[in-house]
Amino acid sequence: MTHTGFSDHCNVTLARESMAKMIAASQLLLFDLDGLLVDTEAFHWQAYKATCEKLGGSLPWNFQKYFSLSGKSATAIEDALRDEQPSLFVGRTWHDIYAEKKRQLAAILSTQKIPLMPGVKDFIEAHLYKPMAIVTNSPKAFTELVVKSHPFLSSVACWVYREKYNAP
């Protein structure tokens, strides 16, 4: 007879012990930003909705559909919009649309507290003795908004944001 609760507890305990050993042995902790440290997907979705409306269209997806596309590939959202909202591309490039989305996102984030993913603050603060870096595809302006929302993140000395490299 299997005692699922006890078995699950043992698996979680072993996983935590294994993770603690890996962290202790590491020389540097590297983190992504969006989706790992901060929960911004809903804001990105809102920014796409606002962009489509501003450009005379509408975003035809609920959050779940957007979320599935956002994790699918680097071009999944663009491809889906081209298929489902071709009028957005009349006289505009994807670069134009994406630039507007970034403006919309900045406007949204400037008025909102950016939520942390569960456990982030406790984890970072418990490991301040380790060198840390945050590496993200987000632009510097976005990282500054994140730190403004969560000043403890300024304790991470090394930030590699979009403008610091040529290709993701």
Side-chain angles (χ1 to χ4, degrees):
M1 184 160 130
T2 303
H3 298 285
T4 305
F6 179 73
S7 175
D8 289 346
H9 173 74
C10 289
N11 289 338
V12 168
T13 300
L14 289 173
R16 284 186 181 146
E17 290 172 2
S18 176
M19 182 63 72
K21 287 178 184 175
M22 286 191 313
I23 291 169
S26 67
Q27 295 179 18
L28 171 68
L29 300 176
L30 292 172
F31 301 97
D32 185 22
L33 188 59
D34 289 298
L36 182 68
L37 299 181
V38 293
D39 187 3
T40 56
E41 283 302 324
F43 297 129
H44 286 275
W45 176 62
Q46 290 170 6
Y48 274 113
K49 283 176 54 173
T51 297
C52 289
E53 289 170 11
K54 182 174 181 176
L55 300 179
S58 64
L59 189 66
W61 319 311
N62 62 19
F63 178 74
Q64 289 75 22
K65 172 73 175 179
Y66 161 77
F67 188 73
S68 70
L69 286 169
S70 70
K72 189 174 182 180
S73 74
T75 63
I77 291 174
E78 175 186 358
D79 295 342
L81 283 174
R82 283 187 188 281
D83 290 344
E84 299 175 38
Q85 293 286 308
S87 64
L88 290 175
F89 293 86
V90 174
R92 294 182 195 97
T93 65
W94 172 247
H95 179 77
D96 300 330
I97 294 167
Y98 193 72
E100 180 59 33
K101 182 263 182 182
K102 289 194 298 188
R103 285 189 288 276
Q104 294 292 333
L105 181 62
I108 291 166
L109 294 177
S110 69
T111 64
Q112 303 286 325
K113 181 158 175 84
I114 301 167
L116 291 173
M117 296 300 272
V120 167
K121 187 172 194 277
D122 291 340
F123 184 89
I124 297 288
E125 289 178 343
H127 295 89
L128 289 174
Y129 64 95
K130 288 277 187 184
M132 293 184 210
I134 296 175
V135 181
T136 180
N137 193 39
S138 296
K140 180 180 182 183
F142 174 75
T143 66
E144 290 169 344
L145 289 171
V146 171
V147 172
K148 183 178 176 185
S149 281
H150 304 287
F152 78 93
L153 287 173
S154 64
S155 65
V156 177
C158 182
W159 287 71
V160 180
Y161 41 82
R162 184 65 186 103
E163 294 88 346
K164 286 191 173 184
Y165 55 89
N166 293 328

